[in-house]
Amino acid sequence: APRQGLWMPAGKISEVEDWEDFGFRFKEINNETRWDNAHGMLTFHYVEPMTWWMNMAHDKLPEKPEGDQPPAEYKQRQFRAIQDEIRRLAAGGETQEIANWANAVLTSVCRNDDGTPYHGVTAMPWCTGILWGMNSMPGIRGEHTDFKNKWNPQLRQQLYGNPEQNGVLHGTYIDSAEGFVGYLDFDHKHFAAAATPLTFDRKYRRPAIFRGAIAYEFIRAIAEDVHGMGKLMMANQTPMELCWLAPLLDIMGTETDWYPNGKWTPMPVNDMLFRRAMCKDKPYCFLMNTGFGTFPPELMESYMKRSLAFGMTPGCFSADAANGQYFTRPELYNRDRELFKKVVPLCRLVAEAGWEPITMARSSDKQIHVERFGESFLTILNDSRDKRTVTITLEGRVPDTSRELLSGATIHWKDKTVELTLDGDDVAVLELAKRDRSAAHGQKTP
């Protein structure tokens, strides 16, 4: 995906006022594919490994006893009620589609070390009921499995087989790519399904399947099919703990909250560098998930500039990943519109030049970080809340002057060095070599 830009989650880009100002490029779900096709967006089909969100009214569960810690008998009664509901659904108690999902629980659910299935009572904006932790490996046996429900020839044909009628999908989007339900699957019946090595728990040394191996096999199988069609793979929440998903994917990113409980807590530089190194010059996109009503404009600017420092794009979503979405609230995005117009084209510019692990530049201050993009750009980040002055020293050929792209100022080099002063959380972007000005900062991008 050589052309980069902002990640739009669940909403419709067409409904954003003057959407061209925000630099959208990637769309995680196909809810207006024809419009996206006509306006230069890459649109994806949504899937999530290792989960089934089962709707179940909580009044179907036994009433909780008084006290903070429910007794073991209550948990047993609760689980019997959940099992009764699964059996009802698996027998066709609702629709055939739901029956297929319920039967996949019987073949694919991960199990704890005591043999109980991974599950939990949940009340999320998108599901009130039970969250099941599933083994999504393609080798799991059964007519209905988690993998077969989420990727199969019929679904592939439905999504990609009739672009004249449905519009052109550009690939598959994997949500929660590294998995978040459970950690190890102890179900012996699943061991033969694993094409990757088993592991073991550290306490009792019992064999098990690692969650990361499940995620890897699920994504690898879909990626082989999707890439075989000349399509792309996009994923959320990776790379985080796992490094080995990145080679399978073309666009990566994560939902994040840098303002928990009203405290500015940006992602540490080492974490940003890990993601940048794993992705190299593949697009990496953020979605800020925070309470935007209390997220001040100056921190929105800091968020955007820190993303710029690592050639990442600063998108926005929702505090609970569902309600009050940023790009459905004109009072928010209009407030920040000029920031997007100023910063996002620069994010694209440096990212598309390609991140280089060797900077050929040194900083005199350990809290001032330098990154190189292609042969033309350096980004310089003040990773502190204080104003600091730093000397940047270049190796190799050094221009007489450079242009700082955020301010437009001319920078003069002397003896391969330049001295810069940056406010806290501020960023400078130095253009080291001339380029085609049609790609310059400020150009609107469809």
Side-chain angles (χ1 to χ4, degrees):
R3 276 189 54 217
Q4 302 195 23
L6 225 64
W7 170 12
M8 180 60 149
K12 294 183 177 181
I13 297 171
S14 65
E15 296 178 354
V16 179
E17 299 171 7
D18 295 325
W19 55 269
E20 300 97 323
D21 289 338
F22 298 96
F24 295 112
R25 178 62 170 158
F26 306 115
K27 180 75 173 297
E28 75 177 55
I29 61 173
N30 50 326
N31 57 2
E32 53 173 0
T33 305
R34 286 186 170 278
W35 187 93
D36 291 335
N37 290 168
H39 294 86
M41 307 301 155
L42 299 186
T43 305
F44 295 81
H45 152 249
Y46 177 102
V47 66
E48 181 179 87
M50 300 187 65
T51 59
W52 181 47
W53 302 85
M54 184 183 87
N55 287 309
M56 180 180 182
H58 287 177
D59 59 13
K60 290 186 177 181
L61 298 173
E63 188 174 347
K64 286 185 178 181
E66 296 182 1
D68 294 335
Q69 296 295 327
E73 304 84 65
Y74 167 71
K75 290 185 177 180
Q76 293 171 0
R77 286 188 287 115
Q78 182 189 70
F79 184 54
R80 284 197 294 271
I82 294 169
Q83 285 181 312
D84 290 343
E85 181 68 359
I86 272 288
R87 283 191 285 265
R88 184 185 76 83
L89 296 176
E94 298 289 344
T95 66
Q96 184 58 53
E97 181 182 7
I98 293 176
N100 292 348
W101 288 110
N103 277 287
V105 172
L106 304 179
T107 61
S108 304
V109 71
C110 294
R111 294 191 178 273
N112 294 294
D113 55 2
D114 61 0
T116 58
Y118 280 121
H119 71 287
V121 178
T122 185
M124 302 297 285
W126 54 87
C127 176
T128 296
I130 310 301
L131 170 59
W132 295 94
M134 309 288 276
N135 188 321
S136 303
M137 286 177 163
I140 298 290
R141 294 179 180 178
E143 181 181 359
H144 301 290
T145 69
D146 192 63
F147 183 84
K148 289 178 181 177
N149 281 345
K150 293 172 179 174
W151 191 255
N152 57 68
Q154 295 76 24
L155 178 62
R156 181 184 187 276
Q157 176 63 25
Q158 175 188 332
L159 293 169
Y160 296 101
N162 194 353
E164 294 80 9
Q165 178 179 336
N166 302 323
V168 175
L169 281 182
H170 295 91
T172 291
Y173 166 84
I174 310 291
D175 202 8
S176 306
E178 296 190 10
F180 63 91
V181 181
Y183 204 78
L184 298 175
D185 179 12
F186 289 89
D187 190 335
H188 286 204
K189 296 192 298 295
H190 294 163
F191 289 1
T196 46
L198 302 180
T199 184
F200 54 88
D201 75 291
R202 288 185 289 182
K203 186 174 182 180
Y204 298 110
R205 303 295 192 265
R206 285 172 296 191
I209 299 174
F210 173 45
R211 180 189 72 192
I214 297 172
Y216 174 76
E217 291 196 31
F218 177 85
I219 292 172
R220 180 176 64 178
I222 295 177
E224 287 175 353
D225 207 355
V226 168
H227 286 150
M229 293 186 282
K231 305 290 185 178
L232 300 170
M233 293 290 293
M234 180 176 178
N236 182 17
Q237 292 186 314
T238 194
M240 291 168 58
E241 293 181 351
L242 307 182
C243 63
W244 57 77
L245 301 184
L248 304 173
L249 301 165
D250 306 294
I251 304 107
M252 285 161 273
T254 193
E255 298 169 56
T256 189
D257 183 3
W258 292 6
Y259 198 54
N261 303 312
K263 182 181 179 182
W264 175 241
T265 312
M267 183 177 287
V269 164
N270 280 351
D271 290 351
M272 303 277 279
L273 275 172
F274 171 73
R275 286 157 172 78
R276 184 72 280 165
M278 290 298 100
C279 297
K280 184 56 170 72
D281 46 10
K282 294 177 182 178
Y284 189 89
C285 310
F286 283 118
L287 287 181
M288 183 61 69
N289 283 9
T290 196
F292 289 105
T294 59
F295 193 54
E298 59 269 21
L299 291 186
M300 179 64 80
E301 182 174 9
S302 294
Y303 162 54
M304 290 189 176
K305 286 184 174 181
R306 292 180 78 93
S307 301
L308 168 60
F310 295 94
M312 300 169 177
T313 50
C316 297
F317 189 16
S318 158
D320 62 3
N323 299 308
Q325 295 179 30
Y326 179 89
F327 280 110
T328 65
R329 301 168 66 183
E331 74 277 10
L332 293 176
Y333 66 71
N334 282 328
R335 180 198 72 181
D336 301 326
R337 182 183 296 272
E338 293 305 313
L339 270 175
F340 280 96
K341 290 169 67 176
K342 178 180 180 180
V343 178
V344 172
L346 290 178
C347 295
R348 280 192 50 198
L349 182 69
V350 299
E352 290 174 7
W355 176 81
E356 296 293 339
I358 307 301
T359 62
M360 299 182 69
R362 297 191 303 276
S363 165
S364 63
D365 187 328
K366 65 181 180 181
Q367 288 197 274
I368 307 291
H369 299 272
V370 182
E371 298 300 323
R372 176 180 286 269
F373 295 86
E375 297 181 356
S376 300
F377 306 106
L378 294 180
T379 63
I380 301 163
L381 167 68
N382 180 359
D383 184 34
S384 77
R385 301 292 282 166
D386 307 315
K387 178 180 286 191
R388 289 175 176 263
T389 297
V390 63
T391 299
I392 304 297
T393 303
L394 279 185
E395 300 173 9
R397 290 185 58 189
V398 179
D400 294 329
T401 62
S402 294
R403 186 164 168 260
E404 200 288 300
L405 298 183
L406 278 162
S407 65
T410 299
I411 305 298
H412 296 273
W413 295 89
K414 184 178 180 181
D415 297 329
K416 296 191 175 186
T417 67
V418 68
E419 189 176 90
L420 301 173
T421 299
L422 295 173
D423 290 331
D425 278 328
D426 204 2
V427 170
V429 182
L430 301 188
E431 182 184 33
L432 301 178
K434 300 296 182 184
R435 62 195 160 94
D436 180 0
R437 294 297 172 183
S438 66
H441 139 61
Q443 182 184 11
K444 286 189 176 182
T445 54

